[in-house]
Amino acid sequence: QVQLVESGGGSVQAGGSLRLSCAASGYNYRRTNRMAWFRQAPGKEREAVAAINPDDGSSDYSDSVKGRFTISQDNAKNTVYLQMNSLKPEDTAMYYCAARVQYGGRWWNENDYNYWGRGTQVTVSS
């Protein structure tokens, strides 16, 4: 079955770094036209963080993480990464990986994504 498995979360102090990974399996990864990271903090709605086009490597970022986070990929491993630098307490959230296989839609719209991981927790202390 389809699986998106996130890893790499943890607890860090403000200013620190973490690298998240998301490994996809169970479907034809070549059908993927966007891989994305979303996050959800307690009491808040889920928000888009970054997305990448597996075909050409083009990426998008939310304003809140632009310049601090970098999304990348290894298509040979069906894996997407999120390098998070200069972490802030407000980055604390559950981070989810998502895959979109149909064309169209908006990179930041969670409703346009077909497959989801279970998430990995990131906690940033001040």
Side-chain angles (χ1 to χ4, degrees):
Q1 73 276 21
V2 175
Q3 281 192 312
L4 299 181
V5 180
E6 302 98 333
S7 61
S11 297
V12 295
Q13 290 191 327
S17 298
L18 284 172
R19 188 194 194 206
L20 307 183
S21 299
C22 170
S25 63
Y27 74 105
N28 183 358
Y29 189 74
R30 292 183 180 181
R31 296 175 55 207
T32 308
N33 63 73
R34 278 295 185 277
M35 290 292 292
W37 288 96
F38 287 77
R39 68 185 182 187
Q40 187 168 22
K44 295 188 176 181
E45 294 187 352
R46 188 157 53 186
E47 63 172 346
V49 174
I52 191 166
N53 182 332
D55 289 336
D56 62 13
S58 59
S59 56
D60 296 281
Y61 297 92
S62 68
D63 289 342
S64 61
V65 306
K66 199 172 293 183
R68 300 188 298 122
F69 291 10
T70 303
I71 190 169
S72 61
Q73 61 186 358
D74 184 341
N75 283 347
K77 297 181 179 180
N78 294 355
T79 298
V80 172
Y81 305 97
L82 186 69
Q83 178 66 44
M84 305 186 296
N85 298 330
S86 302
L87 282 162
K88 304 175 181 179
E90 51 263 43
D91 294 318
T92 295
M94 184 71 78
Y95 283 70
Y96 298 92
C97 176
R100 190 181 79 191
V101 298
Q102 77 271 5
Y103 287 97
R106 310 290 178 94
W107 77 268
W108 42 260
N109 188 349
E110 62 178 290
N111 295 318
D112 290 335
Y113 287 81
N114 306 94
Y115 307 129
W116 291 85
R118 294 188 175 186
T120 185
Q121 178 67 38
V122 172
T123 303
V124 184
S125 58
S126 57

